[in-house]
Amino acid sequence: MSASTASTIVSYTGKKLGSLRSERRWALWTAYASLIVATIIFLAPPFYMLVTSLKSSSEISNLSGNPWIVRAPTLENYMELIANPLFRGFFVNSVIITLCVVAISMVISVLAAFSLARMKFWGSQALATGVFLTYLVPDTLLFIPLYQIVGSLGLLNSIWGLILIYPTLTVPFCTWIMIGYFASIPKELDEAALIDGAGWMQMLTKIFIPVALPGIIAATIFAFTVSWAAFVYPTAFVTTPEHMPLTIGVVSQLIRGDTFAWGQIMAGALMAALPPVVVYAFLMDYYIAGLTAGATKG
């Protein structure tokens, strides 16, 4: 190879590397700019809620000030809500409803997913697909027939009516997640268990549940979030403050006609959003792992 040819190759390679570095630099800048814009968009509403919740009623009503700045921070709105027995009742109702719905949803979802994923029978695949398709039906179409069912059972204006209907939102998707996780477990495990004389329930409790724990945690987080943050169903089925969950209790009791207690509304909304945020902060890795397995193996 001549010296001129070698220098040409080196020059071409240098230009190619320089072009790649330039493209990579622009890609990084574009990615960082997009992340910054997305962060601002997503964090602006909760930041505005926090700022408003720390203002007094007089400062909120003063339209001449900057709405994004707190001049005299105060915890008055939080203290008034916490001291209000009605608000504490909303919180207790949400806790009871959420715990019951999560327990019911997980029992049904684990049993249904195990039978559909491992106990193969005629129509199991079609039934599994149908379970997921029911999740795609919006709750705005279901609450009218559900209202008639709950009314016929005498459970309107009751937290037990909400406990009865919330699983219609949580069970289909939780079952789909668990089907994907159970299907990813090697068949040799249940075959070996059957040879050793284990029954289906023993296989489920001693083999599948421990192995599929990340998927169970992901489904539990989903059921918790949906049941805690549900709004359409409690709005339609509950009208008395004593049985309202936190999501609608704050709005219904702090808005009187054209009077809005914005400081307490924002404080109540932030406190209502705190439990899901805490759960996601500590269990995010399990949630991502469970959703990934459910999507790729289902």
Side-chain angles (χ1 to χ4, degrees):
M1 181 183 298
S2 63
S4 61
T5 304
S7 63
T8 302
I9 294 176
V10 171
S11 176
Y12 175 77
T13 304
K15 293 179 179 179
K16 191 67 174 177
L17 291 175
S19 176
L20 290 176
R21 291 194 189 99
S22 178
E23 291 179 1
R24 177 179 174 80
R25 190 182 305 112
W26 278 108
L28 287 175
W29 279 109
T30 303
Y32 285 132
S34 301
L35 288 175
I36 292 173
V37 172
T39 301
I40 294 174
I41 292 174
F42 284 111
L43 292 184
F47 177 76
Y48 183 81
M49 292 168 61
L50 177 62
V51 169
T52 306
S53 68
L54 296 175
K55 294 180 179 180
S56 62
S57 299
S58 59
E59 186 176 354
I60 294 174
S61 60
N62 184 10
L63 301 180
S64 61
N66 190 334
W68 296 91
I69 298 177
V70 186
R71 296 179 180 175
T74 177
L75 297 177
E76 178 184 358
N77 295 315
Y78 292 93
M79 295 298 101
E80 289 182 0
L81 282 180
I82 295 175
N84 189 342
L86 199 57
F87 180 82
R88 295 198 298 269
F90 297 155
F91 186 83
V92 172
N93 291 338
S94 292
V95 171
I96 294 174
I97 293 170
T98 301
L99 292 179
C100 292
V101 171
V102 168
I104 295 172
S105 300
M106 293 315 302
V107 170
I108 297 176
S109 300
V110 170
L111 294 176
F114 178 72
S115 61
L116 293 173
R118 311 304 290 195
M119 302 171 63
K120 297 296 184 181
F121 53 88
W122 184 84
S124 60
Q125 188 63 38
L127 184 58
T129 304
V131 168
F132 178 71
L133 291 178
T134 58
Y135 171 72
L136 302 179
V137 180
D139 50 2
T140 52
L141 295 179
L142 295 175
F143 82 89
I144 295 178
L146 286 176
Y147 184 90
Q148 296 178 338
I149 295 174
V150 173
S152 65
L153 296 175
L155 295 177
L156 291 176
N157 286 323
S158 169
I159 62 174
W160 302 110
L162 299 180
I163 293 173
L164 176 65
I165 61 176
Y166 276 10
T168 61
L169 301 174
T170 58
V171 169
F173 191 73
C174 292
T175 302
W176 183 255
I177 293 177
M178 296 310 304
I179 287 175
Y181 229 101
F182 286 151
S184 66
I185 299 176
K187 295 183 180 296
E188 290 77 11
L189 289 178
D190 44 349
E191 292 174 354
L194 289 174
I195 293 175
D196 291 338
W200 289 108
M201 288 304 298
Q202 290 178 314
M203 291 168 51
L204 174 63
T205 57
K206 295 183 179 180
I207 298 177
F208 285 89
I209 289 181
V211 174
L213 189 59
I216 294 176
I217 294 176
T220 302
I221 294 174
F222 174 82
F224 170 82
T225 305
V226 171
S227 55
W228 182 270
F231 189 82
V232 174
Y233 284 172
T235 302
F237 298 133
V238 179
T239 56
T240 55
E242 294 78 12
H243 300 97
M244 288 182 176
L246 198 56
T247 49
I248 66 169
V250 172
V251 177
S252 63
Q253 299 305 306
L254 297 179
I255 298 177
R256 297 295 184 182
D258 58 350
T259 303
F260 294 78
W262 285 117
Q264 293 187 22
I265 291 175
M266 297 302 177
L270 285 175
M271 287 191 287
L274 185 60
V277 171
V278 173
V279 169
Y280 276 100
F282 286 99
L283 300 176
M284 178 60 72
D285 292 339
Y286 290 101
Y287 187 66
I288 295 175
L291 291 182
T292 303
T296 56
K297 300 296 183 180

